[in-house]
């Protein structure tokens, strides 16, 4: 079997690695350049943690992980709001939890895929299916033939557009925008994670081992237009200007606005993730948004499941089985992401007070086991590699 994957992000590369373990030849293409560096801190919990462990990547990822410790949340003027400790969450999950910068995760994945054919600045421009396979035309003018094609190319998936068209728009905009970049705070952060919140706005900084901090800013905004670096900078200063430290340092130390990641917060809701010999994976199929804290875990767990199914069955049957196994977890995570949006980004002073009570309660000794079970995605089971 020969498989083409469009999208060399975590979902696509994890799938290629899993397919390789089953002896399936895989080619990857990605329209971005190989040196793309963006994104924010992502978590690998529960099933996602087990998936990278199955792929033999866990030691390398642990070496690059963001240290877990205390999380402190402040009001915009710097007063303390609440706090909890990520180490207690990791303990409740039996250690199956790590946080890592997306670009560090990508480096580990690409490093493990050195013998896999990955071609950047290349994409699928057209495809045609028949009973025996998929004929693919690539953006460099070349044509190739595959048994199956997988779109793992993000929530603006080009493969999804080619196969499913634009007639039924699967994008649900939740009404927020996010921005992420690296900075060097004027003073070291006082916790592993420092968050600040105000009505309709939230900012989080993650302490990195090199003294820098990774940022994740989120604010209520229904604008879906893409913008250039100057416009992004202006908007972020309009929303967060005047906030206390450490946000003040983050705004004053963004030397690379061109590389600043800015996007809408949107889910993808597809009634079916495949058509014939073409299937979708990760954000292309089900983007749950960063609010879930589960997007990367679902992507790599989904990659392992999809590889297992393709190893045993014809593509059409494999895709149906893959969706059956993943759909319940995806539905639950997406619903949770929509519910949490108003808690993560407070909609009023009252919701801010509620946040200050609810967050510590969720991580209390009484409720923490429930939270850990929800993060574990326990219903996703994998075969065991020998």
């Amino acid at each position: 079997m020969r498989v083409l994957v469009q999208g060399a992000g975590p979902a696509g590369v994890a799938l290629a690695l899993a397919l390789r373990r089953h002896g399936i030849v895989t080619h990857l293409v990605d329209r971005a350049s190989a040196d793309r560096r963006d994104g924010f801190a992502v978590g690998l919990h529960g099933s996602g943690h087990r998936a990278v462990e199955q792929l033999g990547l866990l030691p390398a990822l642990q070496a690059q992980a963001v240290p877990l410790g205390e999380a402190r949340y402040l009001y915009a003027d710097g007063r303390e709001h609440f706090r909890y400790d990520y180490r207690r969450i990791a303990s409740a999950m039996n250690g199956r939890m790590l946080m890592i910068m997306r670009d560090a995760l990508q480096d580990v994945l690409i490093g493990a895929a050195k013998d896999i054919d990955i071609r950047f600045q290349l994409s699928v421009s057209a495809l045609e299916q028949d009973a025996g396979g998929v004929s693919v035309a690539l953006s460099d003018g070349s044509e190739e033939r595959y048994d199956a094609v997988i779109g793992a190319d993000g929530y603006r998936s080009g493969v999804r557009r080619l196969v499913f068209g634009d007639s039924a728009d699967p994008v649900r905009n939740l009404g927020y925008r996010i921005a992420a970049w690296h900075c060097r705070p004027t003073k070291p952060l006082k916790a592993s994670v420092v968050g600040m919140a105000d009505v309709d706005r939230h900012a989080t900084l993650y302490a990195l081992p090199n003294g820098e901090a990774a940022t994740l800013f989120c604010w209520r905004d229904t604008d879906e237009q893409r913008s250039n670096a100057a416009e992004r900078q202006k908007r972020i200063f309009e929303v967060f200007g005047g906030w206390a430290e450490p946000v003040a340092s983050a705004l004053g130390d963004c030397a690379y606005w061109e590389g600043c990641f800015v996007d809408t917060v949107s889910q993808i809701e597809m009634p079916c993730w495949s058509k014939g010999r073409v299937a979708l994976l990760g954000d292309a199929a089900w983007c749950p948004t960063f609010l879930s804290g589960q997007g990367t875990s679902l992507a790599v767990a989904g990659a392992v499941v999809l590889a297992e199914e393709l190893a045993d069955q014809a593509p059409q049957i494999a895709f149906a089985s893959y969706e059956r196994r993943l759909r319940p977890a995806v539905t639950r995570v997406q619903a949770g992401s929509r519910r949490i949006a108003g808690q993560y980004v407070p909609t009023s002073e009252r919701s801010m007070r509620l946040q200050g009570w609810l967050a510590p309660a969720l991580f209390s000794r009484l409720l923490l086991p429930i939270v850990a079970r929800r993060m574990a995605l326990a219903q996703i089971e994998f075969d065991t590699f020998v």
Side-chain angles (χ1 to χ4, degrees), residues 123-138:
S123 60
V124 176
S125 56
L127 53 81
E128 185 174 340
Q129 303 187 55
D130 56 43
V134 187
S135 297
V136 177
L138 297 170

Side-chain angles (χ1 to χ4, degrees), residues 351-365:
S351 63
M352 284 204 57
R353 291 193 297 271
L354 179 63
Q355 182 188 63
W357 172 84
L358 183 60
L362 286 173
F363 300 109
S364 67
R365 183 173 300 177

Side-chain angles (χ1 to χ4, degrees), residues 44-56 58 96-97 297 300-301 304 376-383 385:
L44 287 166
H45 317 311
S47 294
H49 193 279
R50 288 189 292 114
V52 296
E53 189 174 20
Q54 287 240 102
L55 294 173
L58 188 56
R96 293 192 181 278
M97 175 180 181
S297 287
V300 296
V304 170
L377 302 177
Q379 65 268 52
I380 301 176
E381 299 297 335
F382 308 133
D383 294 340
F385 287 114

Side-chain angles (χ1 to χ4, degrees), residues 259-278:
C260 175
F261 175 85
V262 178
D263 213 333
T264 60
V265 178
S266 301
Q267 290 186 340
I268 297 298
E269 299 176 353
M270 297 285 293
C272 181
W273 300 338
S274 65
K275 181 178 286 188
R277 291 176 172 267
V278 181

